[in-house]
Amino acid sequence: MALLQIAEPGQSTVPHEHRLAVGIDLGTTNSLVASVLSGEATTLKAADGSDVLPSIVSYQNDGTLVGDAAKAHAVTDPENTIVSAKRLIGRSLADIQAKYPSLPYQFCGDENHPELVTRKGKVNPVQVSSEVLSTLRSRAEASLAGELVGAVITVPAYFDDAQRQSTKDAAKLAGLNVLRLLNEPTAAAIAYGLDSGKEGVIAVYDLGGGTFDISILRLNKGVFEVLATGGDSALGGDDFDLAIADYLVEQAGLTRPLSPSLERQLTMQACQAKETLSSAESCEITLELEDGKKWQHELSKETFESLIQKLVAQTLRACRRTLKDAEVTSDEVIEVVMVGGSTRVPLVRKEVESFFKQPPLTSIDPDKVVAIGAATQADILAGNKPDSEMLLLDVIPLSLGLETMGGLVEKVISRNTTIPVAKAQEFTTFKDGQTAMAIHVLQGERELVDACRSLARFELRNIPPMAAGAAHIRVTFKVDADGLLEVSAMEKSTGVEASIEVKPSFGLDESQIANMIKDSMANAKEDIQARMLKEQQVEAARVIEAVQSALDSDKALLSEEELAVIENALSTLAEVAKTNATDDIEKQIEVVNQATATFAERRMDSSIRTALSGQSVDKV
Amino acid sequence: MNYFQLFGLEEKFNLDTERLAQVYQKLQRSVHPDRFAHASSQEQMLAVQKSSMINDAYQSLKNPLKRAEYMLTLRGTEMPNEQASFKDNMFLMRQMELREMLAEVKFADDIDAAIFEATQVLEIEFEGLFKTMQTQLADNTEEANQLASDNLRKLKFYQKLHLELDRLEDFLFET
């Protein structure tokens, strides 16, 4: 029995339960997981003491290897060892083959759903990424000794909708509850901003293995406002390696196509050379050719820099455009934060310094800063810091629009709009008696459909026959806080809601994901029923806790009858959740959701009123 | 509740943008989806809705042309759509001249100077129209609002020209 309880005035006497949440930096080359432990965000280590996990998956007969174990097979077994899957995720086959013509994999599947043939069968890039995420999830659960309530997964700010959706699918497949997809430069800004306490405009230059992002943010009293973001989702350190590899092929007098093993050897040697040249003036390269002969070459730093000059200039052009979008000048930038392993290349640092007219900040480990920022955000989202003043205002990187007559794109939401956002646009029919309309959703800045990324095609059917131009078709775009798009359409003049059918052009639909989860469980011999029951029970507990805490603070917004209905629904849910009737639990959760709809609305409005009245009091 | 009321601001064209930004952040702090990541799905959905609405309201008031458009909508002034033809021949002539000016920039001997000069011309004419619209909005009579709406439409033409000049600059810089 407790003899004495000491509590701070105004704080709950019930010790706050710390919810386990992590931030995951799913990188092209390396991945990391971090969590907030006793107030400080730190990266979590594997049993062998390393925290960096190479994002490599190797499909071997005796099992699937991830990380360093997989890396060991990279040269000897390139077809079955997938590196840099992040470069493939959410992309079309044509896109991949145009951008990376010398990949050692055998592709199959259709244009919009590319798959790789391995000895363990066909795998898609989402599955490969989910293997990396699963490994990090197990590491976190072992290290934190408990189950995770959720994770914040970082993505390049310049990732389009298909790439984001695919990353979220990979996380779901790995059994992670995604609290939020967070843009990598924004994550770095959180880590930097909270660490330095500085306020003003900062630039985050993030050059990773496969992607480049530049974000301009304003930091002010815990608010991280992204003013603009830009970049290239297919430009990174890997391209430096490719440039060296192409040069070596030329110097050695080789002709492509080369064997997959030699290709892999080339890129790994090139990567090694790039790293060596960060501190040395020249380096020796030795290739083992297919005829067994050895070929040697000395690569100077000067040659290396001339090979990548064009790529670095490309990043600076993006910086210039993004500053313009942000409506700030480079003089207003008080700090340039460098993120990503590729910012170790001296030429990159030199060019960034001369562009922003100040030495970039490199004191935070560029490999870990993203995971640290993500962990900080995860801790807050999980509800461990109810008093946190932090507010993230992020933007969408690329404009979203619809195809109109003549193959043109009409923008509905323009790039650098703060999310979440909802916008509606009205269209009409152009033929008498037209009863259906095709809706084509696109992402990109160009005016022609062919130059933009096709995200989805919809068909709005059952439009009542009317004269041309009489129908009012309202298409609504909604982008949530993860930067993910949802589109709906309806014909409103007659009040008839027409049906829509969504077919994602890229990535996977819900049923494919469900099937993959089932398959993966069949392999792991996990009991699917048990897992589904567990999931519903966890959800029920979450709902009960959320509603209970809402009642504790805002009961006054309800009449006695309304309160009774909610309390009744809650206690039924608590009872049902103890049983193993999965469907009943799910149904009762829905009942509670219905019963609390008005309550939630009132609470939200009341908090808006409070925020406003607080404002006028401040002013008095 | 209109957007001005939502932000607790007086319904005037010249508003305190610093105060607007402050109230915006305060409102987002109370409804942003990040605050509801562990709440019920009901509340999460509402948070996205309210937060989107506040973002939209903020953008509508922050940008002066959007603010003018929003105010005119509130006042019930009819806004001609983009395709409607202009009766003002003088203005159309001027637009054609300005387009020619932009087309010639890339053939100039000193491109930087030509871009600078074109920017100046656009900005001066924009400012003139903008001031007129400002006064008309303050007058707030049916007639003044109609004139303000015409001027708003003209200002959008200038905005487009400015955008084209930006693109031209990007293009010349990158090649």
Side-chain angles (χ1 to χ4, degrees), chain A residues 103-330:
Chain A
L103 288 174
Y105 317 121
Q106 282 185 54
F107 286 99
C108 65
D110 67 69
E111 174 55 31
N112 289 345
H113 304 89
E115 292 179 309
L116 309 158
V117 183
T118 73
R119 69 163 61 84
K120 299 293 272 299
K122 296 176 200 165
V123 293
N124 59 48
V126 171
Q127 287 168 309
V128 179
S129 293
S130 93
E131 293 290 349
V132 176
L133 289 169
S134 274
T135 307
L136 292 175
R137 178 187 156 206
S138 315
R139 178 194 292 184
E141 289 183 339
S143 151
L144 301 171
E147 257 183 78
L148 302 180
V149 299
V152 168
I153 317 276
T154 62
V155 289
Y158 217 59
F159 253 19
D160 67 26
D161 191 76
Q163 292 168 309
R164 281 169 198 271
Q165 190 62 62
S166 300
T167 304
K168 199 169 179 178
D169 291 345
K172 266 191 225 161
L173 202 53
L176 286 164
N177 169 34
V178 181
L179 294 168
R180 186 74 75 235
L181 292 179
L182 179 63
N183 290 330
E184 286 159 12
T186 311
I190 295 175
Y192 164 79
L194 295 181
D195 191 53
S196 71
K198 277 200 185 166
E199 299 197 334
V201 176
I202 67 162
V204 182
Y205 180 101
D206 180 354
L207 189 61
T211 56
F212 168 65
D213 282 329
I214 171 76
S215 285
I216 311 293
L217 295 100
R218 177 170 283 129
L219 273 45
N220 171 36
K221 298 189 187 80
V223 181
F224 294 78
E225 184 184 9
V226 180
L227 301 175
T229 192
D232 191 330
S233 63
L235 171 66
D238 280 9
D239 294 288
F240 294 179
D241 303 349
L242 289 178
I244 299 175
D246 288 348
Y247 169 80
L248 294 177
V249 167
E250 199 188 301
Q251 293 294 311
L254 299 167
T255 32
R256 282 182 158 131
L258 303 168
S259 74
S261 157
L262 186 55
E263 279 290 355
R264 190 51 68 68
Q265 211 196 124
L266 267 167
T267 47
M268 292 187 94
Q269 286 271 349
C271 180
Q272 189 73 57
K274 173 186 71 182
E275 284 169 15
T276 310
L277 291 174
S278 288
S279 51
E281 288 304 308
S282 73
C283 81
E284 197 67 37
I285 289 165
T286 311
L287 284 180
E288 213 167 297
L289 302 180
E290 271 149 77
D291 55 11
K293 283 193 194 134
K294 282 199 171 149
W295 178 81
Q296 283 193 321
H297 184 79
E298 192 181 287
L299 180 69
S300 73
K301 187 172 170 183
E302 217 184 329
T303 310
F304 168 58
E305 294 192 339
S306 71
L307 291 171
I308 62 167
Q309 182 70 47
K310 247 179 92 178
L311 297 169
V312 178
Q314 215 172 314
T315 68
L316 297 180
R317 275 203 294 275
C319 290
R320 208 171 59 81
R321 247 194 318 262
T322 308
L323 278 174
K324 208 178 214 178
D325 280 350
E327 293 173 14
V328 297
T329 61
S330 58

Side-chain angles (χ1 to χ4, degrees), chain A residues 180 221 223 317 320-321 324 377 381 389 392 419-420 542 593 600-601 603 605 612 615 618-619, chain B residues 6 19 25-26 29 32-34 37-39 41-43 46 50-52 55 169-170 173-174:
Chain A
R180 186 74 75 235
K221 298 189 187 80
V223 181
R317 275 203 294 275
R320 208 171 59 81
R321 247 194 318 262
K324 208 178 214 178
Q377 162 86 332
L381 294 186
E389 279 287 285
L392 275 194
I419 51 172
R542 203 175 67 91
N593 278 342
E601 178 100 39
R603 262 167 54 79
D605 287 338
L612 268 180
Q615 180 64 25
D618 285 351
K619 282 278 159 185
Chain B
L6 176 67
R19 168 119 197 257
Q25 292 184 354
K26 206 152 210 172
R29 272 212 171 98
H32 195 277
D34 280 2
H38 61 286
S41 48
Q42 194 72 242
E43 284 189 308
L46 269 171
K50 300 270 172 188
S51 179
S52 300
N55 274 332
E169 202 181 341
D170 278 346
F173 232 100
E174 283 166 21

